[in-house]
Amino acid sequence: MQNETRVETGKPEKALWSKGVREHLVAYSFIAPNFIGFAVFTLLPMLFAFVLAFVKWDGANPMKFVGVDNFTRLIQDTTFHKAFWNTVVYTIGVVPFTMACALGLAILLNQKIFARNFLRTVFFFPYVASLVAVAAVWNFIFSPTLGPLNNILHAITGVPIEDLPRWAADKDWAMFTVVLFTVWKSMGYYMVIYLAGLQGINPELYEAAQLDGANAWRRFRNVTVPQLAPTTFFVLMILVINSFKVYDIFINLFAGADNQLNDSTRVMVYQIYNTAFRSLDYGYASAMAIVLFLLVLGITIVQFNGEKKYG
Amino acid sequence: MVGTDKRLKVAMVAFVYVLLFLIVLAMLVPYVWMISASLKLNKDVFSFPIQWIPELPRWKNYVDIWNRIPLGLFIFNTAKLAVIVTFLQLLTSSFAAYAFSKLRFKGRNLLFLGYIATIAIPWQAYMVPQFIMMRSLGLNNTHLAIICLQAFSAFGVFLMRQFYQGIPDELCEAARIDGLSEYGIWARIMVPLSKPALSTLTIFTFVSTWNDFLGPMIYLTKTPLKTIQIGLRMFISQYSAEYGLIMAASVVSIIPVLIVFLGLQKYFVQGIASSGVKG
């Protein structure tokens, strides 16, 4: 019976280990490879983050406990405030825009239409395409004077190129440009979630509504929207969380060779990165990270309660 | 009456298809422009009106790019990391998920709760202490750091456990009576049955490792260690006027993901769908 069991116990195993103990050892041996890695590289750093937020440390000199100083510093740090508000504005731009596009495409693809699988691939591919590469293309296309976009706009409208928006290079248009890019890149992902939600709706509901004489808009309003509420809620939460974690998109659209962002484009994770890895102010960076953590935790708690309500 | 109704319907369908065509065009134009530009001289990349098919395609861009930056090395590094991380992720996740779903032991629920609780915590919130730990272990500027960082995710365990929950316990019981050990059940029954879930996890892990930006940016500052993402980023910021070469390198960096994606798209879509709709 034990011919396949790895015997951890030496020869007189039955005398040394009871059945219960052996079963436990087997179970733990299944968990261990993943759990050890998970504990060392995820759990420990998480706990360490809370310690680090209350110290001043540059990585070389001894750590100094400073209490809540890092957090009071945050309250007065206008650069961090800027980063925080930019992140919020970005989130407010991305979330409704992405949701509307994702839902619209999902509804289209849920019909019997021509080349459905091809279309799904087209909409979804930007989500998996390497960010650095597609950001490079976007930067060329949106380039203020050389770029094809402004040249086309100039050809159509006749407005001189100097008067057209400078997109990523323009502090007033930067946020719009990055929102547009993000929607293009990620809407396919949320579209797939919506598609799954749509396919879960009982077709009889639509038939019943049609018999009652409801037109397409009323069917959407009174069947699709309420039936999709749990999916919409899930998409909303994931979108908000992902927007708060944004960093790489901003670096690739806005930063030069020095990887620096200015006041109109800095975001929270950028601020954490810079404070830790450029200013070597690990404690202060961790205090910022705790703020990010608390924000995401707050959203997760809302989501958890909402899922109870909808589920 | 019926006639106008029908005409309205035809008009609607036509409108939808025109709209769809325009959206698809907008989605595809960046790639087409990228490929077109990758075959041009720098001075022709931005010539207007756009010449979509270059008169004299400059294939030499695709030769030069390998000499200009160590693109081959970057791709090798990334492929190496992606393959190792994906392999470890599949192995350790499905191993742990088997215990969580089919074995009984003390602390099972508590341990699993520990995994679930951390899924929601953003990596960016603990990347700084994680870096300090890795550095004190001497792992800064090693590929091992990226492997340790990516290979043991709670997400993988969660995904595999969800799938194993759907496999009847009686199957394992029967195998036990037939004399298979727990390791044997895992290897001969669970792994073959969970191919769809393993495929989903494969594509998720592979693509996220291939495209990871911030992790390699923090840990891999030496050029020979860089992955394709940060290597390409370095090239773009150093030679920002080499438009043709930048586009050629971009095309090259997207192709592996395109291949994996087209091959395993079905599992990707299923994985996302099952994460969004509660199972």
Side-chain angles (χ1 to χ4, degrees):
Chain A
M1 181 150 166
Q2 275 99 18
N3 57 350
E4 294 238 14
T5 317
R6 208 167 296 148
V7 182
E8 299 100 342
T9 52
K11 268 164 206 162
E13 51 162 278
K14 285 230 167 89
L16 267 174
W17 303 89
S18 72
K19 192 163 172 277
V21 173
R22 218 178 48 230
E23 277 180 1
H24 269 77
L25 280 180
V26 170
Y28 291 136
S29 75
F30 271 102
I31 308 268
N34 192 281
F35 186 75
I36 292 170
F38 173 70
V40 173
F41 299 111
T42 303
L43 285 182
L44 265 178
M46 278 177 190
L47 298 176
F48 191 20
F50 284 92
V51 178
L52 217 48
F54 297 97
V55 302
K56 184 156 185 57
W57 194 39
D58 61 2
N61 295 305
M63 271 187 204
K64 212 177 101 199
F65 179 76
V66 293
V68 294
D69 275 14
N70 286 330
F71 291 94
T72 43
R73 222 175 115 192
L74 272 182
I75 296 172
Q76 287 145 13
D77 184 346
T78 48
T79 319
F80 182 74
H81 295 171
K82 198 81 203 143
F84 174 77
W85 283 117
N86 285 340
T87 314
V88 171
V89 170
Y90 171 74
T91 306
I92 292 172
V94 164
V95 172
F97 210 5
T98 310
M99 282 177 98
C101 293
L103 179 59
L105 292 178
I107 288 173
L108 273 178
L109 287 196
N110 202 35
Q111 321 289 321
K112 289 190 194 74
I113 57 167
F114 175 70
R116 219 176 113 196
N117 284 342
F118 168 75
L119 290 173
R120 194 185 62 190
T121 308
V122 168
F123 296 139
F124 191 74
F125 187 66
Y127 180 74
V128 289
S130 315
L131 170 72
V132 181
V134 290
V137 184
W138 271 68
N139 272 333
F140 286 168
I141 292 177
F142 278 75
S143 163
T145 45
L146 294 170
L149 179 70
N150 269 2
N151 277 294
I152 291 170
L153 287 177
H154 169 69
I156 295 172
T157 62
V159 178
I161 284 194
E162 308 82 68
D163 295 344
L164 286 166
R166 292 170 51 75
W167 306 112
D170 189 326
K171 78 178 185 4
D172 298 323
W173 283 89
M175 215 34 108
F176 175 81
T177 313
V178 70
V179 167
L180 201 66
F181 177 79
T182 309
V183 172
W184 175 81
K185 183 139 173 49
S186 66
M187 66 181 179
Y189 178 79
Y190 301 99
M191 176 196 76
V192 171
I193 299 179
Y194 267 127
L195 257 175
L198 284 173
Q199 273 151 14
I201 299 177
N202 186 348
E204 283 171 21
L205 290 173
Y206 287 107
E207 284 159 27
Q210 204 149 21
L211 281 181
D212 289 345
N215 60 23
W217 167 248
R218 306 262 331 237
R219 288 200 299 275
F220 173 73
R221 187 70 201 78
N222 296 326
V223 179
T224 312
V225 170
Q227 289 288 313
L228 273 185
T231 312
T232 305
F233 186 69
F234 177 82
V235 168
L236 174 70
M237 293 298 133
I238 302 292
L239 259 171
V240 173
I241 291 175
N242 283 344
S243 306
F244 268 96
K245 295 193 298 196
V246 73
Y247 169 80
D248 44 8
I249 291 181
F250 278 74
I251 286 289
N252 282 292
L253 278 192
F254 300 125
D258 58 354
N259 285 334
Q260 295 292 296
L261 297 172
N262 62 32
D263 261 352
S264 57
T265 50
R266 63 177 77 237
V267 282
M268 277 172 79
V269 174
Y270 167 80
Q271 212 57 25
I272 298 173
Y273 177 92
N274 252 23
T275 310
F277 302 119
R278 279 187 187 255
S279 317
L280 301 180
D281 200 345
Y282 294 124
Y284 192 40
S286 284
M288 294 176 185
I290 298 293
V291 172
L292 176 71
F293 164 70
L294 291 176
L295 285 169
V296 173
L297 183 72
I299 300 163
T300 312
I301 290 170
V302 172
Q303 178 188 9
F304 195 72
N305 288 330
E307 266 182 8
K308 265 195 238 154
K309 193 175 132 203
Y310 289 115
Chain B
M1 270 308 267
V2 179
T4 54
D5 227 36
K6 209 165 189 176
R7 231 177 295 156
L8 193 72
K9 207 160 182 190
V10 171
M12 274 294 283
V13 170
F15 173 74
V16 166
Y17 273 105
V18 169
L19 188 72
L20 210 54
F21 178 75
L22 289 176
I23 301 173
V24 170
L25 206 64
M27 296 298 288
L28 289 180
V29 155
Y31 307 115
V32 178
W33 196 84
M34 167 160 62
I35 294 168
S36 159
S38 75
L39 295 172
K40 289 177 183 170
L41 282 166
N42 289 331
K43 67 176 176 56
D44 298 330
V45 165
F46 288 115
S47 63
F48 195 81
I50 303 166
Q51 197 182 22
W52 291 100
I53 298 167
E55 238 165 68
L56 290 166
R58 193 178 152 80
W59 299 104
K60 198 166 167 295
N61 282 346
Y62 283 91
V63 178
D64 290 350
I65 184 66
W66 303 91
N67 307 323
R68 206 53 178 281
I69 48 168
L71 190 65
L73 185 64
F74 292 157
I75 290 177
F76 173 77
N77 287 342
T78 321
K80 181 182 112 184
L81 285 173
V83 168
I84 294 176
V85 166
T86 306
F87 176 75
L88 283 176
Q89 176 81 263
L90 290 177
L91 188 74
T92 67
S93 300
S94 71
F95 221 51
Y98 176 67
F100 279 127
S101 137
K102 299 292 175 215
L103 300 176
R104 248 167 256 284
F105 56 93
K106 281 203 192 76
R108 182 171 92 163
N109 291 340
L110 187 74
L111 275 179
F112 191 64
L113 196 73
Y115 273 99
I116 297 290
T118 56
I119 283 185
I121 299 179
W123 173 75
Q124 289 84 347
Y126 58 92
M127 65 182 183
V128 176
Q130 192 182 46
F131 172 79
I132 294 169
M133 270 183 48
M134 293 265 201
R135 196 181 53 183
S136 66
L137 293 171
L139 294 179
N140 188 24
N141 266 315
T142 63
H143 283 157
L144 193 57
I146 302 293
I147 294 169
C148 294
L149 190 115
Q150 299 260 18
F152 309 102
S153 81
F155 170 75
V157 176
F158 181 71
L159 188 90
M160 292 311 296
R161 180 186 170 270
Q162 288 295 89
F163 193 84
Y164 287 163
Q165 292 291 71
I167 296 177
D169 290 349
E170 290 80 20
L171 214 61
C172 303
E173 278 307 322
R176 267 178 214 128
I177 291 166
D178 285 348
L180 268 185
S181 71
E182 298 300 336
Y183 305 100
I185 297 174
W186 173 79
R188 298 208 193 145
I189 297 176
M190 299 308 259
V191 169
L193 279 177
S194 57
K195 267 184 196 142
L198 290 171
S199 306
T200 300
L201 190 57
T202 302
I203 185 160
F204 268 101
T205 313
F206 186 89
V207 169
S208 73
T209 311
W210 187 275
N211 287 341
D212 188 20
F213 184 77
L214 190 47
M217 185 163 157
I218 293 173
Y219 286 98
L220 310 175
T221 49
K222 291 186 179 144
T223 304
L225 291 176
K226 287 192 172 174
T227 60
I228 181 77
Q229 301 302 321
I230 49 174
L232 186 58
R233 164 94 192 136
M234 180 184 77
F235 176 62
I236 292 171
S237 38
Q238 273 172 7
Y239 301 95
S240 51
E242 292 281 7
Y243 312 121
L245 286 181
I246 289 175
M247 287 297 99
S250 298
V251 172
V252 170
S253 83
I254 283 185
I255 287 174
V257 182
L258 180 68
I259 293 169
V260 173
F261 176 67
L262 290 180
L264 292 173
Q265 186 183 187
K266 195 175 95 193
Y267 299 107
F268 211 127
V269 169
Q270 277 168 4
I272 298 167
S274 64
S275 72
V277 180
K278 277 183 294 196

